[in-house]
Amino acid sequence: MANPFDRRDTTLPVDEALAPPPAVRRFKLTVVEGPGAGRAVESDGDRLAIGLHPSNELTIDDPTVSRFHCEVRVEGSAARVRDLGSRNGTFVDGVEVSEAKLRDGSLLRVGKATVRFELATERNRLPVSQRTSFGSLVGTSVALRTCFSLLERAAGTDFTVLLEGETGTGKGDAAEAIHAASARRDKRFVVVDCGAIPENLLESELFGHEKGAFTGAEARRVGAFEEADGGTIFLDEIGELPLELQPKLLRALENGEIRRVGSNSHRPVDVRVVAATHRDLRAEVNAGRFRHDLYFRVAVLRVTLPPLRERPEDIPLIVDAMLERLEADEAQKAALRAPAFRAALQRAAWPGNVRELRNHLERSLVWQEAPLDDDGGAARTPDAAAAATATAPAGAAIDVGVTYAEGRRRALDAFERAYVQGLVAAHDGSVAKAAQAAGVTRVHLYRLLRRHGIKI
């Protein structure tokens, strides 16, 4: 059986049963009053942005309009507008909104301009991949395969990519898949989590430092950019990057060179940058927390990973892939593939998305327990399963002086820490080899190492 997590396998046969490419109503935005009156733009996809900056599809040259003011999106025949944290707000038919439905003929007020929204009779077809996997991402939903088409395009270029989406949607997996499908696949893939590293250490983490550059710098250190030379650097949660460090990152991206902390000379580097964030960086730009020039340098190609609640039809395929990766035995697979249990998984909200689903399955396998209902059928929801009674592994120390939930958490943490420590030690500190042996992505293993404070 082919491993759906084999990151080298990036081509799959066309599945005739896959849903056809989606079609969305074309629409038109026309400035009918105020600055830019008479200007109009028609959609060629499913969304248009309005704002002061020329990168918006509808640009309004008016200081009362924010750089990124609002975005209009059509899903099928329904349309919505979403304010992007604009300074003066977005109004629909005279009412200020953060997000609202639009009707044909609705009037939007952005700054001093009034824009009319009109639906057309024609439809735009969105590009959809025929793949059912891209790296470790799997699914047959139109939402995910639309994302795959953008990831394929990104992998074929050397442009900087910005991956957007909620926490746990698989942005790290997508970044590694882009690298694995690119011309840089034989070079290093280096991960920097901008939200997990202390602010005072992040510059050194990115660019390195010279011996004696600051207290505790007892030796020269190569930073992530130099380490990734020739390959790809993944800047996870780039929206958490401190404002004072953003100009230095911009210079590195613009000039292709870095300067170690404590050094007076610059070093050339050849890296492909993939960044990710759960925030809307356009709103962060409006709020002054993210530099607009860095945003334009990072968001050359934007790809949004859909949340799991928008593609529940993918859950059975995701579960199958995870069970293969986790090397579950046949009895465990049968319990976790039971139709009633899968239906419960598809009904769950999964605010933590695919990461939460994976943790739920791992917990079930660690405790050698399929979440069962009172009649013996696998039908519990994830929340109910988390509260189910579990059998501790043989020989495990059990502290009965704490609550059940706390005891389970401690046992799981101890197992996870011991496993990761032994895994990395067995592969001489090589994260790439350890991740491959464990059947997880390097991004996921880096997160486990940081969670438990394990140094390599």
Side-chain angles (χ1 to χ4, degrees), residues 192-203:
V192 177
D193 190 335
C194 300
I197 300 171
E199 188 173 323
N200 61 326
L201 298 178
L202 189 52
E203 183 177 1

mmCIF file with all atom_site columns, all heavy atoms in Angstrom, residues 192-203:
data_model
loop_
_atom_site.group_PDB
_atom_site.id
_atom_site.type_symbol
_atom_site.label_atom_id
_atom_site.label_alt_id
_atom_site.label_comp_id
_atom_site.label_asym_id
_atom_site.label_entity_id
_atom_site.label_seq_id
_atom_site.pdbx_PDB_ins_code
_atom_site.Cartn_x
_atom_site.Cartn_y
_atom_site.Cartn_z
_atom_site.occupancy
_atom_site.B_iso_or_equiv
_atom_site.pdbx_formal_charge
_atom_site.auth_seq_id
_atom_site.auth_comp_id
_atom_site.auth_asym_id
_atom_site.auth_atom_id
_atom_site.pdbx_PDB_model_num
ATOM 1  N N   . VAL A 1 192 ? 11.873 27.905 11.735 1.00 0.00 ? 192 VAL A N   1
ATOM 2  C CA  . VAL A 1 192 ? 11.992 28.882 12.818 1.00 0.00 ? 192 VAL A CA  1
ATOM 3  C C   . VAL A 1 192 ? 10.583 29.275 13.237 1.00 0.00 ? 192 VAL A C   1
ATOM 4  O O   . VAL A 1 192 ? 9.813  29.796 12.429 1.00 0.00 ? 192 VAL A O   1
ATOM 5  C CB  . VAL A 1 192 ? 12.771 30.143 12.391 1.00 0.00 ? 192 VAL A CB  1
ATOM 6  C CG1 . VAL A 1 192 ? 12.809 31.154 13.536 1.00 0.00 ? 192 VAL A CG1 1
ATOM 7  C CG2 . VAL A 1 192 ? 14.187 29.782 11.959 1.00 0.00 ? 192 VAL A CG2 1
ATOM 8  N N   . ASP A 1 193 ? 10.245 29.020 14.485 1.00 0.00 ? 193 ASP A N   1
ATOM 9  C CA  . ASP A 1 193 ? 8.934  29.390 15.013 1.00 0.00 ? 193 ASP A CA  1
ATOM 10 C C   . ASP A 1 193 ? 9.065  30.764 15.657 1.00 0.00 ? 193 ASP A C   1
ATOM 11 O O   . ASP A 1 193 ? 9.560  30.897 16.776 1.00 0.00 ? 193 ASP A O   1
ATOM 12 C CB  . ASP A 1 193 ? 8.444  28.363 16.030 1.00 0.00 ? 193 ASP A CB  1
ATOM 13 C CG  . ASP A 1 193 ? 6.997  28.578 16.428 1.00 0.00 ? 193 ASP A CG  1
ATOM 14 O OD1 . ASP A 1 193 ? 6.516  29.714 16.320 1.00 0.00 ? 193 ASP A OD1 1
ATOM 15 O OD2 . ASP A 1 193 ? 6.336  27.603 16.842 1.00 0.00 ? 193 ASP A OD2 1
ATOM 16 N N   . CYS A 1 194 ? 8.595  31.783 14.962 1.00 0.00 ? 194 CYS A N   1
ATOM 17 C CA  . CYS A 1 194 ? 8.770  33.169 15.426 1.00 0.00 ? 194 CYS A CA  1
ATOM 18 C C   . CYS A 1 194 ? 7.977  33.462 16.693 1.00 0.00 ? 194 CYS A C   1
ATOM 19 O O   . CYS A 1 194 ? 8.268  34.439 17.389 1.00 0.00 ? 194 CYS A O   1
ATOM 20 C CB  . CYS A 1 194 ? 8.358  34.146 14.329 1.00 0.00 ? 194 CYS A CB  1
ATOM 21 S SG  . CYS A 1 194 ? 9.298  33.985 12.798 1.00 0.00 ? 194 CYS A SG  1
ATOM 22 N N   . GLY A 1 195 ? 6.979  32.642 16.982 1.00 0.00 ? 195 GLY A N   1
ATOM 23 C CA  . GLY A 1 195 ? 6.177  32.881 18.167 1.00 0.00 ? 195 GLY A CA  1
ATOM 24 C C   . GLY A 1 195 ? 6.645  32.120 19.389 1.00 0.00 ? 195 GLY A C   1
ATOM 25 O O   . GLY A 1 195 ? 6.177  32.379 20.498 1.00 0.00 ? 195 GLY A O   1
ATOM 26 N N   . ALA A 1 196 ? 7.584  31.189 19.232 1.00 0.00 ? 196 ALA A N   1
ATOM 27 C CA  . ALA A 1 196 ? 8.009  30.343 20.346 1.00 0.00 ? 196 ALA A CA  1
ATOM 28 C C   . ALA A 1 196 ? 9.384  30.715 20.891 1.00 0.00 ? 196 ALA A C   1
ATOM 29 O O   . ALA A 1 196 ? 9.754  30.279 21.977 1.00 0.00 ? 196 ALA A O   1
ATOM 30 C CB  . ALA A 1 196 ? 8.026  28.872 19.915 1.00 0.00 ? 196 ALA A CB  1
ATOM 31 N N   . ILE A 1 197 ? 10.134 31.516 20.159 1.00 0.00 ? 197 ILE A N   1
ATOM 32 C CA  . ILE A 1 197 ? 11.493 31.872 20.565 1.00 0.00 ? 197 ILE A CA  1
ATOM 33 C C   . ILE A 1 197 ? 11.467 33.231 21.265 1.00 0.00 ? 197 ILE A C   1
ATOM 34 O O   . ILE A 1 197 ? 10.852 34.179 20.749 1.00 0.00 ? 197 ILE A O   1
ATOM 35 C CB  . ILE A 1 197 ? 12.425 31.928 19.349 1.00 0.00 ? 197 ILE A CB  1
ATOM 36 C CG1 . ILE A 1 197 ? 12.453 30.566 18.656 1.00 0.00 ? 197 ILE A CG1 1
ATOM 37 C CG2 . ILE A 1 197 ? 13.838 32.342 19.748 1.00 0.00 ? 197 ILE A CG2 1
ATOM 38 C CD1 . ILE A 1 197 ? 13.169 30.565 17.321 1.00 0.00 ? 197 ILE A CD1 1
ATOM 39 N N   . PRO A 1 198 ? 12.094 33.362 22.434 1.00 0.00 ? 198 PRO A N   1
ATOM 40 C CA  . PRO A 1 198 ? 12.119 34.653 23.133 1.00 0.00 ? 198 PRO A CA  1
ATOM 41 C C   . PRO A 1 198 ? 12.614 35.771 22.223 1.00 0.00 ? 198 PRO A C   1
ATOM 42 O O   . PRO A 1 198 ? 13.523 35.582 21.412 1.00 0.00 ? 198 PRO A O   1
ATOM 43 C CB  . PRO A 1 198 ? 13.083 34.402 24.296 1.00 0.00 ? 198 PRO A CB  1
ATOM 44 C CG  . PRO A 1 198 ? 13.015 32.925 24.534 1.00 0.00 ? 198 PRO A CG  1
ATOM 45 C CD  . PRO A 1 198 ? 12.794 32.313 23.187 1.00 0.00 ? 198 PRO A CD  1
ATOM 46 N N   . GLU A 1 199 ? 12.002 36.929 22.376 1.00 0.00 ? 199 GLU A N   1
ATOM 47 C CA  . GLU A 1 199 ? 12.289 38.055 21.494 1.00 0.00 ? 199 GLU A CA  1
ATOM 48 C C   . GLU A 1 199 ? 13.770 38.400 21.456 1.00 0.00 ? 199 GLU A C   1
ATOM 49 O O   . GLU A 1 199 ? 14.321 38.708 20.403 1.00 0.00 ? 199 GLU A O   1
ATOM 50 C CB  . GLU A 1 199 ? 11.468 39.261 21.964 1.00 0.00 ? 199 GLU A CB  1
ATOM 51 C CG  . GLU A 1 199 ? 11.510 40.449 21.050 1.00 0.00 ? 199 GLU A CG  1
ATOM 52 C CD  . GLU A 1 199 ? 10.546 41.536 21.487 1.00 0.00 ? 199 GLU A CD  1
ATOM 53 O OE1 . GLU A 1 199 ? 9.445  41.209 21.955 1.00 0.00 ? 199 GLU A OE1 1
ATOM 54 O OE2 . GLU A 1 199 ? 10.905 42.736 21.350 1.00 0.00 ? 199 GLU A OE2 1
ATOM 55 N N   . ASN A 1 200 ? 14.454 38.323 22.619 1.00 0.00 ? 200 ASN A N   1
ATOM 56 C CA  . ASN A 1 200 ? 15.866 38.718 22.667 1.00 0.00 ? 200 ASN A CA  1
ATOM 57 C C   . ASN A 1 200 ? 16.791 37.694 22.015 1.00 0.00 ? 200 ASN A C   1
ATOM 58 O O   . ASN A 1 200 ? 17.970 37.971 21.788 1.00 0.00 ? 200 ASN A O   1
ATOM 59 C CB  . ASN A 1 200 ? 16.304 38.953 24.117 1.00 0.00 ? 200 ASN A CB  1
ATOM 60 C CG  . ASN A 1 200 ? 16.171 37.708 24.977 1.00 0.00 ? 200 ASN A CG  1
ATOM 61 O OD1 . ASN A 1 200 ? 15.268 36.905 24.781 1.00 0.00 ? 200 ASN A OD1 1
ATOM 62 N ND2 . ASN A 1 200 ? 17.081 37.543 25.927 1.00 0.00 ? 200 ASN A ND2 1
ATOM 63 N N   . LEU A 1 201 ? 16.275 36.503 21.698 1.00 0.00 ? 201 LEU A N   1
ATOM 64 C CA  . LEU A 1 201 ? 17.092 35.473 21.064 1.00 0.00 ? 201 LEU A CA  1
ATOM 65 C C   . LEU A 1 201 ? 16.742 35.256 19.594 1.00 0.00 ? 201 LEU A C   1
ATOM 66 O O   . LEU A 1 201 ? 17.452 34.546 18.889 1.00 0.00 ? 201 LEU A O   1
ATOM 67 C CB  . LEU A 1 201 ? 16.923 34.136 21.809 1.00 0.00 ? 201 LEU A CB  1
ATOM 68 C CG  . LEU A 1 201 ? 17.354 34.103 23.277 1.00 0.00 ? 201 LEU A CG  1
ATOM 69 C CD1 . LEU A 1 201 ? 17.080 32.722 23.865 1.00 0.00 ? 201 LEU A CD1 1
ATOM 70 C CD2 . LEU A 1 201 ? 18.826 34.470 23.416 1.00 0.00 ? 201 LEU A CD2 1
ATOM 71 N N   . LEU A 1 202 ? 15.646 35.867 19.135 1.00 0.00 ? 202 LEU A N   1
ATOM 72 C CA  . LEU A 1 202 ? 15.158 35.571 17.801 1.00 0.00 ? 202 LEU A CA  1
ATOM 73 C C   . LEU A 1 202 ? 16.111 36.050 16.705 1.00 0.00 ? 202 LEU A C   1
ATOM 74 O O   . LEU A 1 202 ? 16.296 35.360 15.692 1.00 0.00 ? 202 LEU A O   1
ATOM 75 C CB  . LEU A 1 202 ? 13.772 36.195 17.613 1.00 0.00 ? 202 LEU A CB  1
ATOM 76 C CG  . LEU A 1 202 ? 13.009 35.805 16.353 1.00 0.00 ? 202 LEU A CG  1
ATOM 77 C CD1 . LEU A 1 202 ? 12.942 34.293 16.185 1.00 0.00 ? 202 LEU A CD1 1
ATOM 78 C CD2 . LEU A 1 202 ? 11.606 36.396 16.376 1.00 0.00 ? 202 LEU A CD2 1
ATOM 79 N N   . GLU A 1 203 ? 16.734 37.218 16.892 1.00 0.00 ? 203 GLU A N   1
ATOM 80 C CA  . GLU A 1 203 ? 17.661 37.708 15.872 1.00 0.00 ? 203 GLU A CA  1
ATOM 81 C C   . GLU A 1 203 ? 18.829 36.751 15.705 1.00 0.00 ? 203 GLU A C   1
ATOM 82 O O   . GLU A 1 203 ? 19.242 36.437 14.575 1.00 0.00 ? 203 GLU A O   1
ATOM 83 C CB  . GLU A 1 203 ? 18.175 39.098 16.228 1.00 0.00 ? 203 GLU A CB  1
ATOM 84 C CG  . GLU A 1 203 ? 19.096 39.676 15.155 1.00 0.00 ? 203 GLU A CG  1
ATOM 85 C CD  . GLU A 1 203 ? 19.546 41.097 15.468 1.00 0.00 ? 203 GLU A CD  1
ATOM 86 O OE1 . GLU A 1 203 ? 19.167 41.636 16.523 1.00 0.00 ? 203 GLU A OE1 1
ATOM 87 O OE2 . GLU A 1 203 ? 20.303 41.660 14.641 1.00 0.00 ? 203 GLU A OE2 1
#
